[in-house]
Amino acid sequence: NIRFGLNEKIGQIAKRSGTNIPGFINKMRVEYAAQLMKDNPADTVQSIAEVSGFISQTTFIRAFKNVFGKTPTEYRFALHLTSAAKKAL
């Protein structure tokens, strides 16, 4: 069964990364969201959360903070500071 094989593979990857399947999937979603923030600075946090597969903005913020240690808004602010510093050089 292909589906069982896929679940097993995802489970193995999640285990190697030190988490469970939902945690692994959330990490992948959050990393995708972070990339969207870099690529689309005008998009709202809510729209990025939705595109990344999060229904609840609260869940998105919590998951994001678990991965990056800061909220999506704090992360975006840090991106702008880094970008401005690079332009100043």
Side-chain angles (χ1 to χ4, degrees), residues 1-83:
N1 186 342
I2 293 174
R3 185 172 181 200
F4 178 75
L6 180 60
N7 284 341
E8 187 177 318
K9 291 287 184 196
I10 292 172
Q12 291 170 357
I13 293 168
K15 189 175 182 179
R16 275 186 255 147
S17 67
T19 188
N20 56 19
I21 293 173
F24 177 75
I25 292 170
N26 276 342
K27 183 174 186 269
M28 298 301 294
R29 288 177 176 166
V30 166
E31 289 174 352
Y32 176 66
Q35 188 61 49
L36 288 175
M37 284 185 196
K38 290 176 187 174
D39 296 342
N40 306 289
D43 288 357
T44 65
V45 170
Q46 183 174 351
S47 69
I48 288 172
E50 290 171 3
V51 169
S52 302
F54 289 92
I55 297 168
S56 162
Q57 189 168 357
T58 303
T59 302
F60 172 64
I61 293 168
R62 187 179 315 119
F64 199 97
K65 194 166 186 174
N66 284 339
V67 172
F68 288 102
K70 53 184 82 174
T71 67
T73 302
E74 293 167 340
Y75 181 85
R76 177 175 272 170
F77 184 72
L79 283 176
H80 290 302
L81 286 179
T82 304
S83 177

